[in-house]
């Protein structure tokens, strides 16, 4: 049985190429659901609508989820509400990036 934690671990291996951190730690993953048949549905966002890494991140999400042994169907939906803000980052990510970087991201 695939768990939400298994999915989150796989997703955090997907790095934002600009920030070089996992998308879970950055706060880009909003919701993850795994049903009894091991189908995965998730919603995620990007740091901005014009994020040039968007197609890369989408492809890496798909790859990471499909590599989980036993996964069924995969549905990854890009959403813009609520908008991403640096406050969504984990405390470790905030510490690693520092206040200066977080402030710059918020103004993107």
């Amino acid at each position: 049985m695939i768990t939400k934690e298994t999915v989150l671990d796989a997703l955090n291996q997907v790095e934002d190429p600009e920030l070089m951190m996992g998308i879970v730690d950055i706060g880009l993953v909003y919701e993850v659901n795994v049903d009894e048949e091991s189908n995965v549905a998730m919603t995620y966002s990007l740091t901005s609508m014009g994020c040039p890494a968007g197609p890369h991140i989408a492809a890496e999400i798909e790859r990471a989820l499909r590599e989980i042994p036993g996964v069924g169907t995969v549905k990854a939906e890009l959403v813009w509400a609520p908008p991403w803000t640096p406050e969504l980052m984990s405390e470790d990510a905030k510490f690693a990036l520092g206040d200066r970087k977080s402030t710059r991201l918020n103004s993107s």
Side-chain angles (χ1 to χ4, degrees):
M1 177 76 180
I2 296 172
T3 65
K4 181 178 179 177
E5 290 74 27
T6 302
V7 173
L8 290 171
D9 287 344
L11 289 171
N12 212 35
Q13 300 306 307
V14 175
E15 289 189 347
D16 179 297
E18 179 185 5
L19 300 177
M20 301 304 294
M21 297 187 77
I23 63 172
V24 174
D25 286 338
I26 296 170
L28 296 180
V29 176
Y30 287 174
E31 187 174 351
V32 170
N33 293 301
V34 181
D35 70 15
E36 62 280 345
E37 295 175 2
S38 296
N39 299 312
V40 176
M42 64 161 298
T43 58
Y44 72 100
S45 195
L46 300 171
T47 56
S48 69
M49 283 189 163
C51 178
H56 170 76
I57 291 172
E60 287 298 297
I61 287 171
E62 184 81 14
R63 179 199 55 76
L65 294 177
R66 295 211 178 275
E67 286 183 355
I68 299 171
V71 76
T73 61
V74 169
K75 181 182 178 191
E77 181 182 2
L78 175 62
V79 297
W80 298 110
W84 179 87
T85 65
E87 289 77 31
L88 295 173
M89 293 190 300
S90 70
E91 291 303 314
D92 289 341
K94 289 175 187 176
F95 178 78
L97 293 175
D99 291 338
R100 186 172 47 106
K101 183 77 168 180
S102 297
T103 302
R104 183 182 71 77
L105 284 173
N106 200 28
S107 64
S108 302

